[in-house]
């Protein structure tokens, strides 16, 4: 890898670096303790199995679940697919309706489209201009044949925290499964599957300083959630997810969960302070900017800011040597369509195109915030001056 200085990283919602403390506990499971956690005839297998079970407890503790309710998967994409398609297939022919907001992650939207092909009708809920959904809209949309409500805990583009506790209470009262994609919530806001009355919850390690390629689906045992597995095979993970567990990644995920459980409060305070300094600095130096999404019900690290008259692709290109940011979700950033999340808040195509996501995280240093304020205010000023010259010419 090159030794030249890297740009300041402010894209913590796309992925996070692996915490060195996570890396330390993972390494021996690649080299010495490399056993297959499902091998039952020797100590290599037992050692890996014990480590996997400890990690399962660490992940369970982070969300106040029973370890038997934690099913390891390859990440939140798989967990979301498993939850939605699994429930759709289990209740096929008996239930025929699901509910979700339009601002869900692509993998939730696409899994719901799969359910649609199986014959389910989907109620797509709109959100308010602050990005939040109204729990009463959920209550009004639930029918006798509703199988599932899926609402993400924290939005990956605008960082808003949905009222999941209220939604969970409604779903429990009505006897409807409640799934939440909590990939962006873990480590950023309190997660308690009991308080939330959640039945299914998706998690991803690489959004919380663990490795890529590992995640979990929380599957409630009481009352028991029924779903059809996606993977057929050796029957691992209580038959819900066949395939050899990647023990090193599982161990890393466990450590990442432990760190989050212990350090979330102090980290949140520090990250919020940096985020607020960033916003204040930009507001002081850059005219005509707007923040997308509610500021109060929002995770500490996130900003989604529009700069009037600027094209976000051009801005990111101008910044690329100094700051790494994105216009929204990593999966869709190759496409130049405006963000469907920002469009759902009521932004025009032009204002959606003028917006970028900035996310502060665990490794962000205070000096970096100053670099970013300088870089963005310089770039926006230059681009606006160029734009003004071009429109005169
Ligand atoms: C990153 C992310 C995903 C996908 O998670 P992977 O573990 O990368 O598959 C799903 N939902 C949300 C909200 C995310 O931010």
């Amino acid at each position: 890898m090159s030794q030249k200085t890297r740009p300041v990283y402010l894209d913590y919602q796309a992925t996070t670096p692996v915490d060195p403390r996570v890396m330390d506990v993972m390494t021996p499971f690649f080299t010495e303790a490399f056993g297959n956690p499902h091998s039952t005839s020797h100590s290599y297998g037992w050692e890996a199995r014990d480590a996997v079970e400890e990690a399962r407890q660490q992940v369970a503790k982070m969300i106040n679940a029973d370890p038997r309710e934690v099913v390891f998967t390859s990440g939140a994409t798989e967990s979301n697919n498993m939850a939605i398609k699994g429930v759709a297939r289990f209740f096929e022919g008996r239930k025929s309706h699901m509910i979700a907001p339009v601002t869900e992650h692509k993998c939730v939207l696409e899994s719901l489209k799969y359910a649609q092909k199986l014959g389910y009708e989907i109620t797509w809920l709109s959100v308010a201009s602050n990005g939040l959904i109204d729990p009463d809209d959920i209550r009004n949309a639930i029918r006798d044949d509703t199988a599932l409500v899926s609402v993400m805990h924290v939005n990956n583009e605008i960082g808003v925290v949905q009222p999941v506790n209220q939604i969970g209470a409604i779903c429990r009262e009505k006897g409807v499964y409640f799934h939440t994609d909590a990939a962006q919530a873990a480590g950023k806001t309190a997660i308690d599957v009991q308080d939330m009355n959640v039945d299914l919850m998706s998690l991803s390690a690489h959004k919380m300083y663990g490795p890529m390629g590992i995640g979990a689906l929380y599957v409630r045992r009481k009352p028991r959630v029924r779903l059809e597995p996606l993977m057929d095979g050796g029957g691992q993970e209580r038959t819900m997810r066949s395939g050899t567990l990647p023990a090193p990644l599982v161990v890393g995920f466990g450590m990442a969960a432990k760190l989050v459980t212990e350090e979330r409060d102090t980290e949140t305070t520090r990250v919020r302070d940096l985020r607020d300094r960033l916003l204040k600095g930009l507001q002081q130096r850059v005219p005509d900017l707007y923040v997308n999404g509610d500021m109060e019900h929002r995770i500490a690290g996130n900003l989604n800011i529009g700069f009037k008259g600027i094209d976000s692709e051009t801005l990111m290109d101008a910044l690329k040597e100094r700051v790494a940011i994105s216009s929204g979700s990593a999966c869709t950033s190759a496409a130049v369509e405006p963000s469907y999340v920002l469009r759902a808040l009521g932004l025009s195509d032009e204002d959606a195109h003028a917006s970028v996501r900035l996310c502060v995280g665990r490794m962000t240093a205070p000096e970096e915030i100053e670099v970013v304020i300088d870089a963005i205010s310089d770039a926006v000023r230059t681009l606006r001056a160029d734009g003004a010259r071009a429109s005169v010419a």
Side-chain angles (χ1 to χ4, degrees):
M1 267 183 268
S2 89
Q3 290 299 303
K4 75 179 174 63
T5 56
R6 293 168 180 281
V8 174
Y9 187 76
L10 282 194
D11 202 13
Y12 277 84
Q13 279 178 286
T15 194
T16 57
V18 171
D19 189 296
R21 296 168 290 180
V22 168
M23 197 63 212
D24 283 349
V25 296
M26 284 170 61
T27 308
F29 288 91
F30 285 109
T31 50
E32 298 136 42
F34 56 80
N36 182 325
H38 313 293
S39 294
T40 53
S41 58
H42 51 68
S43 61
Y44 288 88
W46 305 332
E47 186 177 32
R49 179 202 57 206
D50 290 350
V52 162
E53 293 315 312
E54 189 188 347
R56 197 186 303 280
Q57 285 175 17
Q58 290 165 326
V59 172
K61 189 170 177 201
M62 174 178 74
I63 58 172
N64 192 24
D66 184 298
R68 291 171 298 179
E69 298 175 311
V70 173
V71 177
F72 288 116
T73 66
S74 63
T77 300
E78 184 185 333
S79 299
N80 286 335
N81 273 264
M82 182 175 163
I84 295 166
K85 295 180 179 177
V87 167
R89 278 159 53 172
F90 188 87
F91 290 99
E92 194 178 353
R94 285 177 286 162
K95 297 199 176 191
S96 50
H97 180 229
M98 293 186 173
I99 302 167
V102 294
T103 49
E104 290 296 299
H105 194 272
K106 275 272 152 87
C107 59
V108 167
L109 301 179
E110 293 301 320
S111 296
L112 287 164
K113 285 181 197 162
Y114 171 92
Q116 226 165 7
K117 280 186 222 145
L118 293 186
Y120 286 80
E121 192 187 324
I122 315 296
T123 299
W124 303 103
L125 295 176
S126 54
V127 297
S129 59
N130 61 3
L132 294 174
I133 92 152
D134 182 348
D136 279 336
D137 289 349
I138 302 269
R139 182 184 291 284
N140 296 333
I142 291 177
R143 315 190 311 212
D144 289 342
D145 62 343
T146 305
L148 183 77
V149 170
S150 186
V151 178
M152 70 204 312
H153 193 166
V154 170
N155 185 274
N156 48 301
E157 292 190 34
I158 53 179
V160 298
V161 184
Q162 297 291 358
V164 282
N165 286 33
Q166 285 163 270
I167 296 167
I170 292 168
C171 291
R172 181 57 51 85
E173 179 197 322
K174 301 268 188 186
V176 171
Y177 287 162
F178 175 38
H179 166 250
T180 189
D181 175 356
Q184 295 289 352
K188 322 276 178 21
T189 186
I191 298 187
D192 183 320
V193 292
Q194 311 310 336
D195 287 351
M196 290 163 76
N197 282 304
V198 72
D199 298 298
L200 294 152
M201 176 187 281
S202 303
L203 298 167
S204 174
H206 78 94
K207 304 290 175 67
M208 45 178 274
Y209 309 95
M212 291 175 180
I214 186 77
L217 180 66
Y218 160 79
V219 183
R220 181 176 288 281
R221 284 168 66 87
K222 284 182 195 152
R224 179 160 172 221
V225 171
R226 308 299 304 265
L227 73 169
E228 195 76 23
L230 292 181
M231 300 291 211
D232 297 305
Q236 289 91 346
E237 297 298 87
R238 297 171 189 277
T239 74
M240 278 197 277
R241 203 277 192 175
S242 286
T244 304
L245 284 178
L249 304 184
V250 171
V251 166
F253 185 19
M255 182 49 133
K258 179 172 187 277
L259 294 175
V260 152
T261 305
E262 292 168 356
E263 299 175 4
R264 181 174 61 81
D265 290 346
T266 41
E267 181 164 298
T268 300
T269 308
R270 199 184 73 84
V271 162
R272 176 174 290 116
D273 179 58
L274 293 176
R275 192 271 315 265
D276 290 347
R277 276 162 64 178
L278 175 58
L279 177 58
K280 211 163 156 204
L282 291 172
Q283 283 170 329
Q284 280 166 352
R285 306 235 333 238
V286 187
D288 294 325
L289 62 76
Y290 48 91
V291 178
N292 301 311
D294 195 84
M295 269 317 277
E296 195 188 330
H297 304 279
R298 190 185 198 105
I299 55 163
N302 170 281
L303 283 176
N304 190 303
I305 301 188
F307 301 96
K308 278 275 179 202
I310 295 289
D311 173 63
S312 62
E313 300 292 325
T314 316
L315 177 61
M316 291 185 294
D317 192 58
L319 288 170
K320 65 179 186 284
E321 308 282 324
R322 297 170 77 186
V323 192
I325 55 173
S326 79
S327 58
S329 62
C331 1
T332 51
S333 56
V336 276
E337 295 155 29
S339 148
Y340 65 92
V341 173
L342 297 181
R343 293 286 288 121
L345 308 193
L347 267 70
S348 64
D349 275 5
E350 198 187 338
D351 283 348
H353 266 309
S355 300
V356 291
R357 175 181 70 183
L358 311 166
C359 193
V360 173
R362 183 176 292 172
M363 284 74 179
T364 308
E367 312 81 73
E368 292 182 313
I369 297 297
E370 305 310 319
V371 172
V372 174
I373 295 169
D374 283 346
I376 294 182
S377 51
D378 288 353
V380 171
R381 191 181 320 109
T382 306
L383 293 174
R384 280 181 178 159
D386 291 352
R389 251 194 312 280
S391 66
V392 168

